[in-house]
Short mmCIF file of all heavy atoms in Angstrom, two decimals:
data_model
loop_
_atom_site.label_atom_id
_atom_site.label_comp_id
_atom_site.label_asym_id
_atom_site.label_seq_id
_atom_site.Cartn_x
_atom_site.Cartn_y
_atom_site.Cartn_z
N TYR D 366 19.67 10.00 1.85
CA TYR D 366 20.75 10.85 1.87
C TYR D 366 20.93 11.64 3.14
O TYR D 366 21.93 11.64 3.87
CB TYR D 366 20.71 11.88 0.73
CG TYR D 366 21.98 12.80 0.60
CD1 TYR D 366 23.15 12.25 0.22
CD2 TYR D 366 21.86 14.17 0.95
CE1 TYR D 366 24.30 13.03 0.09
CE2 TYR D 366 22.97 14.99 0.79
CZ TYR D 366 24.18 14.44 0.36
OH TYR D 366 25.28 15.26 0.31
N LYS D 367 19.90 12.33 3.61
CA LYS D 367 19.95 13.18 4.71
C LYS D 367 19.96 12.37 6.05
O LYS D 367 20.67 12.70 7.06
CB LYS D 367 18.85 14.19 4.86
CG LYS D 367 18.92 15.17 5.99
CD LYS D 367 17.80 16.19 5.97
CE LYS D 367 17.90 17.21 7.01
NZ LYS D 367 19.10 17.88 7.21
N LYS D 368 19.24 11.35 6.22
CA LYS D 368 19.08 10.60 7.41
C LYS D 368 20.22 9.43 7.60
O LYS D 368 20.44 9.02 8.65
CB LYS D 368 17.75 9.92 7.45
CG LYS D 368 16.59 10.91 7.39
CD LYS D 368 16.52 11.77 8.63
CE LYS D 368 15.49 12.89 8.53
NZ LYS D 368 14.10 12.34 8.49
N ILE D 369 20.73 9.04 6.49
CA ILE D 369 21.69 7.89 6.54
C ILE D 369 23.12 8.31 5.99
O ILE D 369 24.14 8.07 6.66
CB ILE D 369 21.14 6.67 5.77
CG1 ILE D 369 19.83 6.22 6.44
CG2 ILE D 369 22.18 5.49 5.78
CD1 ILE D 369 19.09 5.11 5.63
N VAL D 370 23.17 8.74 4.84
CA VAL D 370 24.43 9.00 4.10
C VAL D 370 25.15 10.21 4.64
O VAL D 370 26.31 10.17 5.14
CB VAL D 370 24.34 9.18 2.60
CG1 VAL D 370 25.69 9.47 1.95
CG2 VAL D 370 23.69 7.90 1.97
N LYS D 371 24.46 11.41 4.77
CA LYS D 371 25.04 12.59 5.17
C LYS D 371 24.06 13.34 6.17
O LYS D 371 23.28 14.09 5.73
CB LYS D 371 25.40 13.51 4.02
CG LYS D 371 26.25 14.75 4.41
CD LYS D 371 26.66 15.52 3.06
CE LYS D 371 27.32 16.83 3.32
NZ LYS D 371 28.60 16.62 4.14
N LYS D 372 24.18 13.00 7.53
CA LYS D 372 23.21 13.62 8.40
C LYS D 372 23.22 15.03 8.64
O LYS D 372 22.26 15.63 9.12
CB LYS D 372 23.37 12.82 9.75
CG LYS D 372 23.06 11.26 9.67
CD LYS D 372 23.13 10.53 10.91
CE LYS D 372 22.74 9.08 10.82
NZ LYS D 372 22.83 8.40 12.08
N ASP D 373 24.36 15.67 8.27
CA ASP D 373 24.55 17.08 8.38
C ASP D 373 24.25 17.81 7.04
O ASP D 373 24.66 18.99 6.94
CB ASP D 373 25.93 17.45 8.95
CG ASP D 373 27.09 17.02 8.06
OD1 ASP D 373 26.82 16.17 7.11
OD2 ASP D 373 28.20 17.49 8.27
N ALA D 374 23.62 17.18 6.10
CA ALA D 374 23.34 17.78 4.79
C ALA D 374 22.53 19.01 4.93
O ALA D 374 21.54 19.02 5.70
CB ALA D 374 22.73 16.72 3.94
N THR D 375 22.79 19.99 4.10
CA THR D 375 22.07 21.27 4.11
C THR D 375 20.84 21.13 3.21
O THR D 375 20.69 20.07 2.46
CB THR D 375 22.93 22.35 3.62
OG1 THR D 375 23.20 22.20 2.12
CG2 THR D 375 24.14 22.54 4.34
N ASP D 376 19.82 21.93 3.30
CA ASP D 376 18.68 21.96 2.51
C ASP D 376 19.01 21.96 1.05
O ASP D 376 18.50 21.21 0.21
CB ASP D 376 17.84 23.14 2.84
CG ASP D 376 16.45 22.67 3.37
OD1 ASP D 376 16.27 21.47 3.82
OD2 ASP D 376 15.51 23.45 3.31
N LYS D 377 20.04 22.76 0.71
CA LYS D 377 20.50 22.92 -0.66
C LYS D 377 21.02 21.55 -1.22
O LYS D 377 20.71 21.20 -2.34
CB LYS D 377 21.52 24.02 -0.74
CG LYS D 377 21.97 24.33 -2.23
CD LYS D 377 22.87 25.53 -2.17
CE LYS D 377 23.20 25.96 -3.62
NZ LYS D 377 24.26 27.10 -3.70
N GLN D 378 21.75 20.91 -0.39
CA GLN D 378 22.29 19.63 -0.86
C GLN D 378 21.22 18.51 -0.96
O GLN D 378 21.19 17.73 -1.95
CB GLN D 378 23.41 19.11 0.19
CG GLN D 378 24.62 19.89 0.27
CD GLN D 378 25.53 19.48 1.38
OE1 GLN D 378 25.07 19.19 2.51
NE2 GLN D 378 26.89 19.65 1.15
N VAL D 379 20.24 18.55 -0.06
CA VAL D 379 19.15 17.58 -0.20
C VAL D 379 18.32 17.80 -1.46
O VAL D 379 18.02 16.83 -2.14
CB VAL D 379 18.18 17.69 1.10
CG1 VAL D 379 16.93 16.99 0.95
CG2 VAL D 379 18.96 17.30 2.35
N LEU D 380 18.09 19.10 -1.71
CA LEU D 380 17.31 19.42 -2.98
C LEU D 380 18.08 19.06 -4.22
O LEU D 380 17.53 18.55 -5.20
CB LEU D 380 16.96 20.82 -3.05
CG LEU D 380 15.87 21.28 -2.02
CD1 LEU D 380 15.72 22.79 -1.97
CD2 LEU D 380 14.47 20.65 -2.38
N PHE D 381 19.39 19.24 -4.12
CA PHE D 381 20.19 18.86 -5.34
C PHE D 381 20.20 17.36 -5.57
O PHE D 381 19.97 16.86 -6.71
CB PHE D 381 21.72 19.22 -5.11
CG PHE D 381 22.61 18.79 -6.21
CD1 PHE D 381 22.70 19.46 -7.36
CD2 PHE D 381 23.40 17.64 -6.11
CE1 PHE D 381 23.61 19.05 -8.43
CE2 PHE D 381 24.23 17.20 -7.08
CZ PHE D 381 24.35 17.90 -8.21
N ILE D 382 20.34 16.49 -4.53
CA ILE D 382 20.25 15.06 -4.68
C ILE D 382 18.94 14.68 -5.14
O ILE D 382 18.77 13.71 -5.95
CB ILE D 382 20.64 14.38 -3.31
CG1 ILE D 382 22.08 14.73 -3.00
CG2 ILE D 382 20.42 12.91 -3.40
CD1 ILE D 382 23.17 14.10 -3.99
N SER D 383 17.85 15.24 -4.57
CA SER D 383 16.50 14.90 -4.94
C SER D 383 16.13 15.21 -6.39
O SER D 383 15.64 14.30 -7.05
CB SER D 383 15.51 15.67 -4.01
OG SER D 383 15.72 15.37 -2.69
N LYS D 384 16.58 16.33 -6.86
CA LYS D 384 16.38 16.68 -8.28
C LYS D 384 17.21 15.75 -9.29
O LYS D 384 16.73 15.41 -10.25
CB LYS D 384 16.70 18.08 -8.48
CG LYS D 384 15.68 19.06 -7.78
CD LYS D 384 16.03 20.54 -8.10
CE LYS D 384 14.90 21.39 -7.44
NZ LYS D 384 15.07 22.81 -7.71
N ALA D 385 18.44 15.45 -8.85
CA ALA D 385 19.19 14.57 -9.61
C ALA D 385 18.52 13.19 -9.72
O ALA D 385 18.58 12.52 -10.80
CB ALA D 385 20.65 14.41 -9.00
N THR D 386 17.82 12.77 -8.68
CA THR D 386 17.23 11.50 -8.58
C THR D 386 16.04 11.45 -9.64
O THR D 386 15.77 10.41 -10.26
CB THR D 386 16.64 11.18 -7.17
OG1 THR D 386 17.74 11.12 -6.26
CG2 THR D 386 15.96 9.90 -7.15
N ILE D 387 15.42 12.58 -9.78
CA ILE D 387 14.26 12.66 -10.77
C ILE D 387 14.68 12.35 -12.12
O ILE D 387 14.12 11.60 -12.84
CB ILE D 387 13.65 14.13 -10.70
CG1 ILE D 387 12.90 14.34 -9.37
CG2 ILE D 387 12.66 14.22 -11.85
CD1 ILE D 387 12.31 15.70 -9.16
N LEU D 388 15.90 12.87 -12.52
CA LEU D 388 16.44 12.62 -13.79
C LEU D 388 16.82 11.14 -13.95
O LEU D 388 16.55 10.51 -15.03
CB LEU D 388 17.74 13.49 -14.03
CG LEU D 388 17.48 15.05 -13.98
CD1 LEU D 388 18.77 15.76 -14.15
CD2 LEU D 388 16.48 15.39 -15.08
N ILE D 389 17.46 10.52 -13.00
CA ILE D 389 17.89 9.21 -13.08
C ILE D 389 16.80 8.23 -13.11
O ILE D 389 16.75 7.33 -13.95
CB ILE D 389 18.85 8.82 -11.88
CG1 ILE D 389 20.12 9.68 -11.91
CG2 ILE D 389 19.15 7.31 -11.80
CD1 ILE D 389 20.94 9.62 -10.67
N VAL D 390 15.74 8.46 -12.30
CA VAL D 390 14.57 7.57 -12.26
C VAL D 390 13.84 7.63 -13.66
O VAL D 390 13.36 6.61 -14.11
CB VAL D 390 13.68 7.86 -11.14
CG1 VAL D 390 12.28 7.06 -11.24
CG2 VAL D 390 14.31 7.52 -9.82
N ALA D 391 13.73 8.81 -14.14
CA ALA D 391 13.11 9.02 -15.48
C ALA D 391 13.77 8.15 -16.59
O ALA D 391 13.10 7.52 -17.38
CB ALA D 391 13.08 10.44 -15.88
N LEU D 392 15.12 8.11 -16.53
CA LEU D 392 15.85 7.35 -17.52
C LEU D 392 15.62 5.89 -17.33
O LEU D 392 15.38 5.12 -18.30
CB LEU D 392 17.38 7.66 -17.34
CG LEU D 392 17.85 9.02 -17.77
CD1 LEU D 392 19.32 9.15 -17.44
CD2 LEU D 392 17.70 9.26 -19.30
N PHE D 393 15.60 5.35 -16.11
CA PHE D 393 15.32 3.95 -15.85
C PHE D 393 13.81 3.57 -16.31
O PHE D 393 13.58 2.55 -16.84
CB PHE D 393 15.52 3.64 -14.35
CG PHE D 393 16.90 3.24 -14.00
CD1 PHE D 393 17.73 4.19 -13.42
CD2 PHE D 393 17.37 1.99 -14.36
CE1 PHE D 393 19.03 3.86 -13.08
CE2 PHE D 393 18.67 1.66 -14.02
CZ PHE D 393 19.53 2.57 -13.39
N SER D 394 12.95 4.48 -16.03
CA SER D 394 11.53 4.27 -16.43
C SER D 394 11.43 4.20 -17.93
O SER D 394 10.62 3.37 -18.52
CB SER D 394 10.68 5.44 -15.93
OG SER D 394 10.71 5.43 -14.51
N ILE D 395 12.13 5.08 -18.71
CA ILE D 395 12.10 4.95 -20.12
C ILE D 395 12.58 3.66 -20.59
O ILE D 395 12.13 3.04 -21.55
CB ILE D 395 12.88 6.12 -20.73
CG1 ILE D 395 12.11 7.45 -20.55
CG2 ILE D 395 13.15 5.96 -22.20
CD1 ILE D 395 12.92 8.65 -20.94
N ALA D 396 13.67 3.18 -19.95
CA ALA D 396 14.28 1.92 -20.29
C ALA D 396 13.34 0.74 -20.16
O ALA D 396 13.18 -0.17 -20.95
CB ALA D 396 15.54 1.66 -19.53
N ILE D 397 12.57 0.76 -19.06
CA ILE D 397 11.52 -0.31 -18.74
C ILE D 397 10.41 -0.31 -19.74
O ILE D 397 9.96 -1.33 -20.19
CB ILE D 397 11.00 -0.10 -17.36
CG1 ILE D 397 12.16 -0.39 -16.25
CG2 ILE D 397 9.86 -1.05 -16.99
CD1 ILE D 397 11.68 0.00 -14.89
N ALA D 398 10.09 0.97 -20.19
CA ALA D 398 8.86 1.07 -21.12
C ALA D 398 9.36 1.07 -22.52
O ALA D 398 8.51 1.37 -23.43
CB ALA D 398 8.10 2.37 -20.79
N TRP D 399 10.61 0.73 -22.82
CA TRP D 399 11.10 0.87 -24.22
C TRP D 399 10.39 -0.03 -25.21
O TRP D 399 10.30 0.27 -26.34
CB TRP D 399 12.66 0.50 -24.18
CG TRP D 399 13.36 0.97 -25.46
CD1 TRP D 399 13.86 0.23 -26.40
CD2 TRP D 399 13.58 2.38 -25.81
NE1 TRP D 399 14.47 1.03 -27.38
CE2 TRP D 399 14.36 2.31 -27.01
CE3 TRP D 399 13.34 3.55 -25.16
CZ2 TRP D 399 14.79 3.53 -27.60
CZ3 TRP D 399 13.90 4.77 -25.77
CH2 TRP D 399 14.46 4.69 -27.03
N ASP D 400 9.92 -1.21 -24.68
CA ASP D 400 9.12 -2.05 -25.53
C ASP D 400 7.77 -1.50 -25.84
O ASP D 400 6.97 -1.30 -24.92
CB ASP D 400 9.05 -3.47 -24.93
CG ASP D 400 8.13 -4.39 -25.74
OD1 ASP D 400 7.84 -4.08 -26.89
OD2 ASP D 400 7.88 -5.51 -25.27
N PRO D 401 7.40 -1.17 -27.07
CA PRO D 401 6.15 -0.50 -27.38
C PRO D 401 4.96 -1.48 -27.12
O PRO D 401 3.74 -0.98 -27.08
CB PRO D 401 6.22 -0.17 -28.89
CG PRO D 401 7.27 -1.02 -29.44
CD PRO D 401 8.16 -1.21 -28.38
N ASN D 402 5.17 -2.72 -26.95
CA ASN D 402 4.08 -3.71 -26.69
C ASN D 402 3.86 -3.82 -25.22
O ASN D 402 3.00 -4.68 -24.74
CB ASN D 402 4.35 -5.03 -27.30
CG ASN D 402 4.43 -4.94 -28.83
OD1 ASN D 402 3.55 -4.34 -29.44
ND2 ASN D 402 5.40 -5.65 -29.48
N SER D 403 4.60 -3.10 -24.40
CA SER D 403 4.37 -3.26 -22.94
C SER D 403 2.96 -2.75 -22.60
O SER D 403 2.50 -1.83 -23.13
CB SER D 403 5.44 -2.39 -22.15
OG SER D 403 5.35 -1.05 -22.61
N SER D 404 2.34 -3.45 -21.68
CA SER D 404 1.00 -3.18 -21.31
C SER D 404 0.96 -2.16 -20.15
O SER D 404 1.55 -2.34 -19.09
CB SER D 404 0.19 -4.50 -20.93
OG SER D 404 -1.01 -4.25 -20.30
N VAL D 405 0.15 -1.15 -20.29
CA VAL D 405 -0.09 -0.15 -19.32
C VAL D 405 -0.75 -0.85 -18.07
O VAL D 405 -0.38 -0.67 -16.92
CB VAL D 405 -0.85 1.06 -19.77
CG1 VAL D 405 -1.24 1.98 -18.67
CG2 VAL D 405 -0.18 1.77 -20.90
N PHE D 406 -1.75 -1.62 -18.39
CA PHE D 406 -2.56 -2.24 -17.26
C PHE D 406 -1.64 -3.20 -16.42
O PHE D 406 -1.71 -3.21 -15.25
CB PHE D 406 -3.61 -3.14 -17.91
CG PHE D 406 -4.65 -3.64 -16.83
CD1 PHE D 406 -5.81 -2.91 -16.45
CD2 PHE D 406 -4.44 -4.89 -16.28
CE1 PHE D 406 -6.67 -3.39 -15.61
CE2 PHE D 406 -5.30 -5.39 -15.35
CZ PHE D 406 -6.53 -4.66 -15.05
N GLU D 407 -0.78 -3.98 -17.09
CA GLU D 407 0.06 -4.96 -16.38
C GLU D 407 1.17 -4.15 -15.58
O GLU D 407 1.44 -4.66 -14.45
CB GLU D 407 0.68 -5.96 -17.33
CG GLU D 407 -0.31 -6.89 -17.99
CD GLU D 407 0.25 -7.78 -18.95
OE1 GLU D 407 1.51 -7.72 -19.27
OE2 GLU D 407 -0.48 -8.72 -19.53
N LEU D 408 1.74 -3.17 -16.12
CA LEU D 408 2.73 -2.39 -15.28
C LEU D 408 2.17 -1.77 -14.10
O LEU D 408 2.76 -1.87 -12.99
CB LEU D 408 3.45 -1.38 -16.23
CG LEU D 408 4.39 -1.86 -17.34
CD1 LEU D 408 4.74 -0.69 -18.26
CD2 LEU D 408 5.64 -2.47 -16.75
N VAL D 409 0.94 -1.20 -14.18
CA VAL D 409 0.35 -0.60 -13.09
C VAL D 409 -0.07 -1.66 -12.05
O VAL D 409 0.08 -1.51 -10.84
CB VAL D 409 -0.88 0.20 -13.49
CG1 VAL D 409 -1.83 0.64 -12.29
CG2 VAL D 409 -0.59 1.38 -14.41
#
Side-chain angles (χ1 to χ4, degrees):
Y366 183 70
K367 184 175 178 60
K368 301 293 176 62
I369 298 173
V370 177
K371 188 176 175 59
K372 295 184 179 181
D373 60 345
T375 63
D376 240 21
K377 187 175 181 180
Q378 290 172 325
V379 170
L380 287 173
F381 175 80
I382 294 296
S383 300
K384 291 182 176 183
T386 300
I387 290 175
L388 300 175
I389 295 169
V390 171
L392 290 174
F393 275 102
S394 298
I395 288 173
I397 293 172
W399 197 252
D400 179 6
N402 294 317
S403 57
S404 169
V405 173
F406 190 91
E407 289 179 357
L408 286 171
V409 171

